[in-house]
Amino acid sequence: MEDRLARLEAVQAILLEIGRKSGSCTDISEFLQSVHAALGRIMYAANFFVALSDHEGPANHVRFVYFVDEVDAAPARDELFELADGESPTAAVIASGRPMAMTAAEHVSKRLDNAAFGIGTIAEHWMGCPLLDQEHQALGAMVIQSYDRQHTFSGEDQALFALIADFVSAALRGLQSVDRLERAVQDRTALLAHEVAERRRAEDEIRHANDALEEQNAALENALTSLKDAQGELVRQEKLASLGRLVAGVAHEINTPLGICVTATSHLVEELKLTRADMAAGILDEDGLNQFFDIVHQSLRIMTTNTQRAAALVRSFKQVAVDQSSDDIRSFNLRKYLDEVLLSLQPKLKGKPVTIDIDCDDNINMASFPGAVSQVLTNMVVNSLVHGFDEGQPGRIKITGKVDGDFVNFDYSDDGVGMDTSTLGQLFDPFYTTKRGTGGSGLGAHILFNLVTGALGGTVKVASAPGMGLHYKLRFPKVKRK
């Protein structure tokens, strides 16, 4: 019983580790390497690989994005493999969308019927689970195998492997979703930059073509209108990308405590079954009953803690997501709303040595656009994490909110690397970024400025210097008049 409890605690620790790694990691191979290392702590995992379907390539083709094997050489990560249904156990798992286990004898039997069945060396015991997307369609498969008869996988091993595969599926959906959104924003940014260059070239030609000045002025007017429309569309897409990243992070954060509850429930059911069997056989003594009560107490405590955590995440995410997609004025308490927004940003902060301190009056009740406040704070925090602090660098963010008559003075500062005078002068320019090519769109500060001066009807001041961090001073009315 103690061994089962220890293994349950190890599984819970692994699931939490997978959750933290998926929230802070952007590289799929790095994430799967950490999953492999964690898996090895609860079962034999010397041979492990993950195959993912290529949505942009031909159907039924996969790439082996992670492959570690004691016998067979790893295939090239960029090489596509066609998995025909009925020709390999991996193909069977992906086609059926269900877990499967196979012994060496079963593999040999299938190969007698079909000489082409299976790729690579036959394993003594093979186990695979599908990786599913939101519509329960197979993204690929996660496989573990053993060439040693001393290492086979029990029914409990197979159940734990399937549970971990579910968590890996959720994490991969989040990583792939964020990757697609960021690629779309980057592609639109590159296209718009090209359009800007073309328009500037057109302006130069207009200045040198005096004979056609009136006609070319009209053309320039149309070009500027198109540019503003394109810029507005790109800003809208950046807001959607930001909300999408929030959705991916919070969805995974919810899956983690719920998965822990499922594991604890399953363990509790099994312990109840064993205790009833001992009672029926007349071998249940006082020590055994007390051990059972201890397991019940610990399992209920785990489930209570994690359900409360999931409920808090859902509440904060629901309010923040609704506000960011709404243009309505409503009444809200600023301090409580800041707490809700920061709770929804926990997936971004997880794994980073950055602390956030809030010094905001508890009695600041506003009637304004909470979605604008949420977007402004989100952009500030994300910009600090991306631009202000290097990877692994400890940091501190301070947020202050004070009442000044009918206005709110809202200050935000970080102690990051700061910026020089030249960079600071272009901070609010659209498409200006020092992280071009690494995920920066150059729209975060631009959107922040427009929301404060537009929707919130306030003002923005900013100060910075190299090594001195970045400091925002915002001022906006408590009650926004339409």
Side-chain angles (χ1 to χ4, degrees):
M1 186 176 298
E2 291 179 353
D3 290 343
R4 290 196 192 98
L5 187 57
R7 196 176 197 193
L8 173 62
E9 292 174 346
V11 171
Q12 292 170 351
I14 287 172
L15 297 181
L16 287 173
E17 181 178 341
I18 291 175
R20 288 193 296 268
K21 193 66 178 177
S22 66
S24 61
C25 182
T26 58
D27 181 76
I28 290 178
S29 294
E30 179 184 348
F31 168 71
L32 293 175
Q33 184 178 15
S34 68
V35 171
H36 184 198
L39 191 63
R41 297 201 293 271
I42 61 170
M43 67 179 68
Y44 181 78
N47 308 284
F48 174 81
F49 68 82
V50 173
L52 293 180
S53 60
D54 186 12
H55 293 296
E56 299 177 359
N60 301 327
H61 283 65
V62 300
R63 301 181 194 273
F64 289 88
V65 297
Y66 185 85
F67 191 100
V68 175
D69 196 275
E70 296 173 304
V71 179
D72 294 333
R77 184 178 176 185
D78 294 331
E79 185 177 359
L80 278 175
F81 292 86
E82 181 177 5
L83 297 183
D85 190 15
E87 291 190 1
S88 76
T90 304
V93 168
I94 295 175
S96 67
R98 294 192 298 271
M100 187 176 81
M102 177 180 291
T103 64
E106 292 170 336
H107 197 148
V108 170
S109 174
K110 289 184 178 294
R111 190 169 280 187
L112 289 175
D113 296 333
N114 179 4
F117 180 82
I119 299 174
T121 307
I122 295 178
E124 281 297 323
H125 206 181
W126 185 100
M127 179 167 60
C129 285
L131 301 172
L132 306 175
D133 62 16
Q134 292 91 335
E135 287 75 36
H136 297 285
Q137 300 299 312
L139 292 167
M142 189 170 80
V143 174
I144 190 171
Q145 56 188 348
S146 169
Y147 299 103
D148 185 353
R149 292 184 179 181
Q150 294 181 352
H151 296 99
T152 57
F153 305 110
S154 65
E156 184 178 351
D157 289 337
Q158 295 176 33
L160 290 176
F161 190 67
L163 174 63
I164 292 173
D166 288 341
F167 273 73
V168 172
S169 295
L172 288 176
R173 289 197 298 266
L175 288 172
Q176 290 180 337
S177 174
V178 170
D179 183 61
R180 284 194 296 270
L181 285 168
E182 290 183 343
R183 282 205 306 269
V185 171
Q186 290 171 7
D187 290 342
R188 290 286 296 172
T189 300
L191 178 61
L192 190 55
H194 175 72
E195 290 183 5
V196 169
E198 291 297 320
R199 301 310 176 193
R200 288 175 178 170
R201 189 177 297 111
E203 291 177 18
D204 291 339
E205 293 177 357
I206 289 172
R207 283 193 295 269
H208 292 90
N210 293 327
D211 293 340
L213 183 59
E214 183 175 350
E215 179 182 349
Q216 295 208 16
N217 278 340
L220 179 60
E221 185 101 48
N222 293 333
L224 290 174
T225 300
S226 299
L227 182 60
K228 289 179 180 178
D229 291 343
Q231 179 177 325
E233 173 65 17
L234 191 56
V235 168
R236 187 184 69 83
Q237 288 202 14
E238 172 67 13
K239 290 181 179 179
L240 290 177
S242 175
L243 187 58
R245 289 189 288 270
L246 178 65
V247 170
V250 172
H252 180 74
E253 284 296 300
I254 293 172
N255 280 336
T256 299
L258 292 184
I260 292 172
C261 289
V262 170
T263 304
T265 303
S266 301
H267 178 68
L268 192 57
V269 170
E270 182 63 24
E271 290 299 330
L272 179 61
K273 185 188 301 181
L274 293 174
T275 302
R276 281 181 171 173
D278 290 347
M279 182 180 294
I283 60 175
L284 181 64
D285 56 14
E286 183 178 351
D287 289 341
L289 187 60
N290 287 332
Q291 286 183 344
F292 174 70
F293 287 154
D294 288 342
I295 291 174
V296 171
H297 175 73
Q298 184 173 7
S299 298
L300 291 176
R301 179 173 54 81
I302 290 171
M303 287 186 284
T304 300
T305 300
N306 284 279
T307 51
Q308 289 174 347
R309 177 184 170 200
L313 284 167
V314 170
R315 183 183 66 251
S316 64
F317 166 68
K318 179 181 177 182
Q319 186 61 70
V320 172
V322 168
D323 285 337
Q324 286 197 14
S325 60
S326 173
D327 293 326
D328 294 334
I329 290 177
R330 73 173 178 86
S331 299
F332 61 96
N333 180 273
L334 181 60
R335 173 57 196 260
K336 292 181 180 179
Y337 193 67
L338 294 179
D339 290 337
E340 293 285 352
V341 176
L342 291 176
L343 180 59
S344 70
L345 289 174
Q346 282 305 305
K348 288 287 183 185
L349 295 164
K350 185 168 289 186
K352 298 182 182 297
V354 177
T355 59
I356 298 180
D357 298 330
I358 301 180
D359 179 18
C360 180
D361 292 345
D362 293 333
N363 59 349
I364 303 179
N365 297 310
M366 298 183 59
S368 187
F369 296 99
V373 174
S374 168
Q375 188 72 54
V376 166
L377 181 57
T378 298
N379 286 9
M380 286 177 170
V381 173
V382 170
N383 282 350
S384 292
L385 296 178
V386 173
H387 301 281
F389 305 110
D390 295 330
E391 186 65 29
Q393 174 189 347
R396 182 170 177 262
I397 295 171
K398 184 174 182 179
I399 300 169
T400 304
K402 302 294 181 184
V403 174
D404 182 11
D406 293 332
F407 288 83
V408 175
N409 292 329
F410 185 91
D411 294 348
Y412 175 97
S413 64
D414 66 46
D415 59 357
V417 297
M419 59 183 67
D420 56 32
T421 303
S422 175
T423 304
L424 185 64
Q426 302 176 78
L427 177 63
F428 296 126
D429 292 350
F431 318 118
Y432 176 76
T433 178
T434 58
K435 296 285 186 178
R436 185 77 64 195
T438 59
S441 66
L443 287 172
H446 177 67
I447 293 173
L448 182 156
F449 181 85
N450 286 344
L451 288 173
V452 175
T453 60
L456 297 178
T459 58
V460 182
K461 293 181 181 179
V462 61
S464 184
M468 301 298 292
L470 184 65
H471 310 275
Y472 287 101
K473 287 187 175 293
L474 280 55
R475 180 179 170 85
F476 43 81
K478 290 193 297 182
V479 177
K480 180 67 171 69
R481 307 295 182 187
K482 286 191 176 181

